[in-house]
Amino acid sequence: MQSVQFTDEDVGKSVVNGDGDEVGIISAVEHGTAYVDPDPGITTKITTALGWEDIDDEDGYPLQEEAVATVTDDEVRLASNL
């Protein structure tokens, strides 16, 4: 995917994994970086897979550009290798 520039319009979009399972939502966007609020049921699995286990951020976790496969009007799909 080409460079991803998130905007405030992306707040509230579902974040789904490569299998289409919802793993969280975009909770905030700051300076083009989206922050994900992970689904509490799978927080440990996702945070570990994305290297966020030591991060504590009230807005959520920053979504790295290389983790994004596609962005649509309704969702952000993560790369299937996560």
Side-chain angles (χ1 to χ4, degrees):
M1 177 170 197
Q2 294 181 342
S3 180
V4 178
Q5 184 70 21
F6 290 99
T7 68
D8 288 341
E9 292 179 15
D10 294 310
V11 173
K13 285 185 180 180
S14 295
V15 178
V16 298
N17 64 17
D19 294 328
D21 299 321
E22 185 173 345
V23 296
I25 63 165
I26 302 294
S27 59
V29 174
E30 294 180 18
H31 307 291
T33 299
Y35 289 82
V36 178
D37 184 7
D39 182 80
I42 59 171
T43 300
T44 302
K45 179 178 177 182
I46 298 303
T47 56
T48 300
L50 296 175
W52 299 336
E53 56 274 332
D54 294 328
I55 298 173
D56 183 24
D57 188 328
E58 290 181 11
D59 288 331
Y61 299 98
L63 185 57
Q64 302 299 314
E65 185 175 324
E66 61 271 7
V68 177
T70 60
V71 178
T72 68
D73 290 340
D74 301 318
E75 69 182 22
V76 175
R77 184 170 295 265
L78 300 177
S80 59
N81 59 348
L82 296 177

